[in-house]
Amino acid sequence: MAVGLGVNDFIACCGSTKFAEQMVADGPFDTYDKAVVAAKNIWFNKVDVHGWLEAFAAHPQIGQNPSSVANKSSTSAQWSKGEQSTALATATDSSLQELYEWNSQYKQKFGFVFLICASGRSTPEILAELKRRFSNRPIVEFEIAAQEQMKITELRLQKLFSNVDVTKAEGRVTILGGHLTAPSVPTRVRPPITTHVLDIARGCPAGGIEVLLEVYTSKKSGPVFGQSGDDMWTFQGSSATDKDGRSGQLMKIVNELTPGVYRISFNTGKYNPDGFFPFVSIVFEVKESQKMEHFHVPLLLSPFSFSTYRGS
């Protein structure tokens, strides 16, 4: 049972003071699933950039002595040691040296420690993932690190619940795999489609951008490249990004997202009148098999280019 859990318990799970304080305020939680629902909502919707960085800083580099991290709780250090046990058991002197060198390069480039849910992962696996992610843009990597932090938090929350088998908990996180995973708890705490705009030219979130979400409702099979069909799109919701670049609620919170083709548009011309794009629209399809998933569609924006990717 989670009755009696305090700030220090939740700091051991995440490392962010704001996260821990908000978990205490929202609790107590009588089941693990309820704690995870609250944790995801707090981490992704209430903790700011500084809170994310505080949580990242509470982690040792893979292969580093967990107790060497300043201000790290003894419980967190113990958990880190256990989570890295597979990596250390599969390491050699040369692979540890290579891991140390890549960790140093990563921190120099991104400004924070390489974060990955290490439970059950070998040193070669972790090294391969570190090298793959090293080529990411800093803003993209920042979001991936936040997703990995949530995986670690889920695992550690399970360890706080005495009625949960920790072996099963670690197996569950390993199964999650990937880097950007869909929520495993069926009850949503946010709409199934969200977005986030980052100004990569300035290196900061883009606030005040108008965002519009629509769904394709024509009886035809779907929109076709080269045909506008603007009368075939139905309004779902609109909002504007806040100071962290996150939009408000663009649609209702529902457990099952209606399969179909969606269009999310950004009023980039109003944000940057001197830029190349008067607006940007991104069209994507939700299949029947994906209706329980969460679709996060961030926009990485500069005056003369933009990019996006599928997050969760």
Side-chain angles (χ1 to χ4, degrees), residues 13-75:
C13 290
C14 179
S16 163
T17 303
K18 184 172 183 178
F19 171 86
E21 291 174 346
Q22 191 63 54
M23 285 292 286
V24 171
D26 288 3
F29 310 102
D30 55 4
T31 68
Y32 161 74
D33 283 352
K34 290 180 180 178
V36 167
V37 169
K40 286 186 174 182
N41 182 43
I42 292 167
W43 178 246
F44 290 113
N45 298 324
K46 297 182 180 180
V47 175
D48 58 18
V49 169
H50 300 293
W52 281 13
L53 289 173
E54 181 187 13
F56 298 168
H59 291 278
Q61 292 184 354
I62 305 295
Q64 178 187 7
N65 184 353
S67 62
S68 65
V69 178
N71 302 320
K72 188 177 183 70
S73 74
S74 58
T75 301

Side-chain angles (χ1 to χ4, degrees), residues 193-227:
I193 297 176
T194 56
T195 189
H196 187 187
V197 186
L198 301 169
D199 189 330
I200 59 177
R202 301 175 183 173
C204 65
I209 292 184
E210 298 172 357
V211 184
L212 172 67
L213 178 65
E214 301 164 292
V215 63
Y216 187 80
T217 52
S218 172
K219 294 182 180 180
K220 297 181 179 180
S221 60
V224 178
F225 176 76
Q227 297 179 9

Side-chain angles (χ1 to χ4, degrees), residues 265-288:
S265 302
F266 305 84
N267 192 354
T268 51
K270 185 176 180 180
Y271 173 76
N272 185 358
D274 297 326
F276 185 72
F277 304 98
F279 67 91
V280 169
S281 290
I282 299 166
V283 177
F284 59 96
E285 183 176 6
V286 177
K287 300 184 183 300
E288 177 69 27

Side-chain angles (χ1 to χ4, degrees), residues 157-172:
L157 281 171
Q158 287 180 301
K159 294 175 181 178
L160 288 180
F161 286 73
S162 58
N163 62 332
V164 174
D165 185 325
V166 173
T167 302
K168 291 180 180 178
E170 294 187 352
R172 175 180 176 277

Side-chain angles (χ1 to χ4, degrees), residues 5 27 115 136 176 181 186 264 287:
L5 294 178
L115 201 62
N136 286 336
L176 285 176
T181 59
I264 189 165
K287 300 184 183 300

